[in-house]
Amino acid sequence: LVSPVFLGMDRVPADRPVIFVGNHTLFGIADIPLLVSHILHSRGLLIRGLAHPWLFQGRENDDEEVASRLELIGAVKVSPRNMYNLLRDGESVLLFPGGAREAYKRKGEQYKLFWPERAEFIRMALKFNAVIVPVASVGVEDAFEVLADGPEILDLPWVGAQVRARMEQIAENQAANARAWKGSPQASAIEDLVSPVARPKALSRQYFGFGHPIDVAASWDEYQQEQQVVVQDDGQPCDERDFCAMLYQ
């Protein structure tokens, strides 16, 4: 009744690096393990999950269980450098642009996306001739009811202060890895790291759907050809950043 279902795996190409881009479900606990395991067993392809740096925090706190499990399935800290290096080496990656904010949703945010305004992964796909495969996941958020979200927990007497102190310590230690935390930790970043408290409300199967591949390099070539008249008229070259932003929208 609750085993995951995977749809559209036949759409995943096998001859080029792939950037799997997905939405985080509530808590995000099973997203990377389920996808990595299924793709490995069904296609023989080990994809490298890009996980939030704080999940590897145990290395500094003598608690290596979470970090060890992530590393066992090939996951690494999410960062532009790590993603760049993996794609450069011809590996496929799994990215959740919504990050912790999307995994630790608040009340009334069921299946809501929290993706950044800019998508650097599109430019990386273009640079390394990688294919982008969208992955949509539903089911988990039908099984839980959020009782208290991050901001509400931080507002609790005594408990909120203890949680905030712990989150600030994590943010400070990971400042070099998370761009939003350069310098002093921001309040929004702290709230994004606080897991909500939820209760089960119903059994729900988790579904993963793989979308049609997006060949960024081919789209870029077509875009350049379409813009040749513009280039000849005003002398302005085709802008790679503008193209990636347009494709992202």
Side-chain angles (χ1 to χ4, degrees):
L1 294 176
V2 295
S3 57
V5 174
F6 299 86
L7 306 171
M9 268 298 297
D10 57 311
R11 298 170 176 165
V12 179
D15 57 343
R16 290 163 64 184
V18 179
I19 302 176
F20 295 90
V21 181
N23 64 295
H24 255 322
T25 55
L26 184 64
F27 300 119
I29 297 173
D31 295 335
I32 290 180
L34 288 177
L35 283 167
V36 169
S37 176
H38 179 76
I39 295 173
L40 177 61
H41 287 94
S42 63
R43 298 294 298 272
L45 173 66
L46 176 62
I47 62 175
R48 307 297 297 276
L50 299 167
H52 198 285
W54 82 268
L55 294 173
F56 296 86
Q57 185 73 15
R59 292 294 188 213
E60 289 80 34
N61 295 326
D62 298 323
D63 181 10
E64 300 189 358
E65 183 177 358
V66 173
S68 296
R69 290 184 178 182
L70 286 170
E71 292 169 352
L72 185 63
I73 59 174
V76 299
K77 295 178 182 179
V78 60
S79 71
R81 181 180 296 276
N82 282 342
M83 187 173 179
Y84 182 99
N85 291 338
L86 289 170
L87 292 172
R88 180 197 59 195
D89 295 340
E91 299 202 55
S92 294
V93 300
L94 171 60
L95 175 68
F96 298 96
R101 176 65 181 89
E102 194 169 277
Y104 291 164
K105 293 181 177 70
R106 297 164 192 170
K107 292 178 178 178
E109 294 180 346
Q110 187 180 42
Y111 295 118
K112 188 174 181 180
L113 299 180
F114 293 90
W115 289 21
E117 293 183 2
R118 298 173 58 187
E120 293 298 324
F121 65 86
I122 296 180
R123 296 188 66 199
M124 287 197 189
L126 180 59
K127 180 175 182 62
F128 295 107
N129 194 31
V131 176
I132 296 174
V133 173
V135 184
S137 177
V138 297
V140 170
E141 292 174 30
D142 296 312
F144 291 93
E145 176 187 1
V146 175
L147 301 178
D149 55 33
E152 291 176 331
I153 292 173
L154 291 174
D155 285 340
L156 292 173
W158 189 81
V159 172
Q162 299 301 312
V163 172
R164 182 178 295 278
R166 173 57 178 154
M167 293 300 101
E168 288 177 346
Q169 180 184 6
I170 292 175
E172 182 178 355
N173 290 341
Q174 295 298 335
N177 296 313
R179 292 176 177 175
W181 293 342
K182 286 184 178 179
S184 299
Q186 299 178 1
S188 59
I190 299 301
E191 291 181 353
D192 294 349
L193 284 177
V194 179
S195 172
V197 175
R199 70 173 180 86
K201 65 177 182 179
L203 289 177
S204 181
R205 193 187 300 270
Q206 187 167 5
Y207 292 85
F208 293 95
F210 296 84
H212 292 283
I214 301 172
D215 191 332
V216 180
S219 298
W220 170 239
D221 291 340
E222 293 175 4
Y223 178 76
Q224 287 181 303
Q225 292 174 7
E226 293 173 356
Q227 297 298 311
Q228 285 303 311
V229 176
V230 176
V231 173
Q232 292 173 2
D233 287 347
D234 60 16
Q236 295 297 321
C238 297
D239 192 304
E240 190 176 289
R241 289 180 179 271
D242 290 342
F243 164 75
C244 292
M246 179 188 67
L247 192 63
Y248 183 51
Q249 297 299 324

